[in-house]
Amino acid sequence: MMGNWYGALPGTSCTAPRPSRPIGGGGLKRFISIGILLQIIANCDYGFGAIRSVKLVVEPAAVRRGQHATLRCLYDLDDSPLYSVKFYRGLREFYRYSPGQQPSMKIFPFPGINVDAAHSDNRQVVIRNVGFGLSGNFSCEVTADAPSFSTATEHISMQVVELPDSGPTLWTEHTRYEPGDVLRANCTSQPSRPKAELTLTLNNMVVYTSHEETRTTTDNLISSSLTLRLHLQSSHFGSGLMPGMGGPSAAGGALLLRCTATIGKLYEQYTELELGVPQRDPIPARVTSSSATRIFPSAGLGGWSFLLLTALLALALCNKPSLAPISPRLVGSSCSSSGEALRR
């Protein structure tokens, strides 16, 4: 009788409430879905605050073959506990550190990766005796502990190199050149990996007329070579550098040939040769005479020899003593005649 007592109250327009329906399967599913979504949103908001940053670095930046490489995973969990740090080569895990498990350090077999456990921890992993096969992508994955279990991953590419033992070798056919000569030269880099890039410059101007070749050694190192054949012009000498001076020279100056070998930002060395201009022996000037100035024929005695003999004979006649008296007029006349002949 309690169910309809209010219906008899005067002045009331209330009606009996409808009996409640049980929650069906569809409504229950919607309710659970909303709850899960709210929990995910809460976890995401909390997770973003759990891991502030993750950064992966390789030391050294380019690892030489046979040396050790250190992968450092730098992260900030914002006072959240650490669940695990995992290191990957490509998509394959090779090292894990989980402080809540025993043992906390786990090393997974990977060809070519030799982990130095004594120097590896929750922040870094050290790889001994790296080879060329380890060049490529590495990553570290950091996961915070409950309740967020938020995860962040960072990637980096490691480069394994072998640098040349010395600078490039530079050869030229001659040591001195002049305009019109052909300059033949060769520059060869020492074996390395990756191969060295070669550049030839002549008086600080890049030379492009060259042929490049590469050669692979038995231990997978690469040697590169440039061959140059250049017909030298006067302009090649005009912008040269005087040997040992370092300043510009006038036309006909020395040639400065340089070969530079570079491997990215890791290696750069050069070798240069100073090629001078040859000092040729001077050519003696030729003495010639035209037919208009020729006085005596070339047959018999030369013109100058005949003239000299005539002058000597005239002087001898003038100075010869005589027993008979000689008129002064005749002597003066004879000497005057000889003088005129000499002047001619």
Side-chain angles (χ1 to χ4, degrees):
M1 303 303 292
M2 294 290 294
N4 55 2
W5 64 271
Y6 51 84
L9 293 176
T12 63
S13 59
C14 295
T15 58
R18 296 179 181 180
S20 60
R21 297 179 181 178
I23 299 176
L28 180 61
K29 290 180 179 179
R30 286 194 297 270
F31 179 81
I32 295 176
S33 299
I34 293 173
I36 294 175
L37 180 59
L38 293 175
Q39 183 64 32
I40 292 175
I41 294 174
N43 289 341
C44 290
D45 291 339
Y46 185 84
F48 282 127
I51 300 180
R52 289 185 176 181
S53 63
V54 176
K55 184 178 180 180
L56 180 60
V57 296
V58 179
E59 297 177 356
V63 188
R64 296 195 65 171
R65 180 182 59 168
Q67 295 185 352
H68 296 355
T70 302
L71 298 172
R72 299 187 186 276
C73 191
L74 310 177
Y75 54 87
D76 185 359
L77 295 181
D78 194 17
D79 297 330
S80 297
L82 174 66
Y83 179 75
S84 67
V85 176
K86 301 177 182 179
F87 287 84
Y88 294 83
R89 168 67 172 93
L91 299 177
R92 185 171 171 179
E93 182 183 3
F94 67 90
Y95 177 82
R96 179 189 301 177
Y97 188 92
S98 302
Q101 300 180 5
Q102 293 297 329
S104 58
M105 181 186 302
K106 293 182 180 179
I107 300 174
F108 305 97
F110 194 105
I113 295 182
N114 301 312
V115 175
D116 186 352
H119 296 87
S120 302
D121 52 27
N122 63 322
R123 295 279 181 174
Q124 68 179 28
V125 58
V126 178
I127 304 175
R128 300 190 303 264
N129 193 23
V130 298
F132 291 137
L134 293 186
S135 292
N137 186 51
F138 283 80
S139 61
C140 74
E141 178 186 278
V142 181
T143 302
D145 207 341
S148 67
F149 289 106
S150 59
T151 301
T153 306
E154 183 68 14
H155 303 267
I156 197 172
S157 180
M158 186 172 74
Q159 186 179 18
V160 182
V161 302
E162 183 64 36
L163 301 180
D165 294 331
S166 60
T169 58
L170 184 57
W171 168 89
T172 57
E173 187 178 18
H174 304 291
T175 57
R176 307 185 75 86
Y177 292 88
E178 68 175 8
D181 292 342
V182 176
L183 172 61
R184 293 180 177 89
N186 176 270
C187 179
T188 303
S189 68
Q190 301 300 317
S192 63
R193 188 182 180 102
K195 74 179 184 74
E197 299 294 335
L198 297 177
T199 304
L200 278 172
T201 58
L202 185 63
N203 290 351
N204 296 329
M205 300 295 294
V206 178
V207 181
Y208 294 100
T209 56
S210 56
H211 177 68
E212 183 176 5
E213 296 180 352
T214 58
R215 180 178 60 87
T216 303
T217 62
T218 55
D219 54 351
N220 293 324
L221 300 181
I222 304 174
S223 175
S224 53
S225 176
L226 281 182
T227 301
L228 173 66
R229 185 182 185 277
L230 179 63
H231 189 267
L232 296 174
Q233 306 293 333
S234 299
S235 58
H236 293 128
F237 296 81
S239 59
L241 299 177
M242 293 298 292
M245 297 298 292
S249 68
L255 298 174
L256 182 63
L257 182 65
R258 174 183 292 185
C259 179
T260 305
T262 58
I263 302 179
K265 297 181 179 179
L266 306 174
Y267 171 89
E268 179 176 345
Q269 287 195 24
Y270 67 86
T271 302
E272 61 184 19
L273 294 175
E274 292 180 350
L275 308 174
V277 178
Q279 302 295 329
R280 301 184 182 273
D281 295 334
I283 301 176
R286 297 180 180 179
V287 179
T288 58
S289 60
S290 62
S291 58
T293 59
R294 185 181 303 167
I295 302 176
F296 300 99
S298 59
L301 293 175
W304 289 105
S305 300
F306 182 80
L307 181 60
L308 180 60
L309 290 177
T310 303
L312 292 176
L313 181 60
L315 292 175
L317 292 175
C318 289
N319 298 327
K320 182 178 180 181
S322 178
L323 296 177
I326 301 176
S327 171
R329 183 181 61 82
L330 294 177
V331 175
S333 174
S334 176
C335 292
S336 176
S337 301
S338 300
E340 291 177 0
L342 181 59
R343 284 192 298 271
R344 292 179 184 176

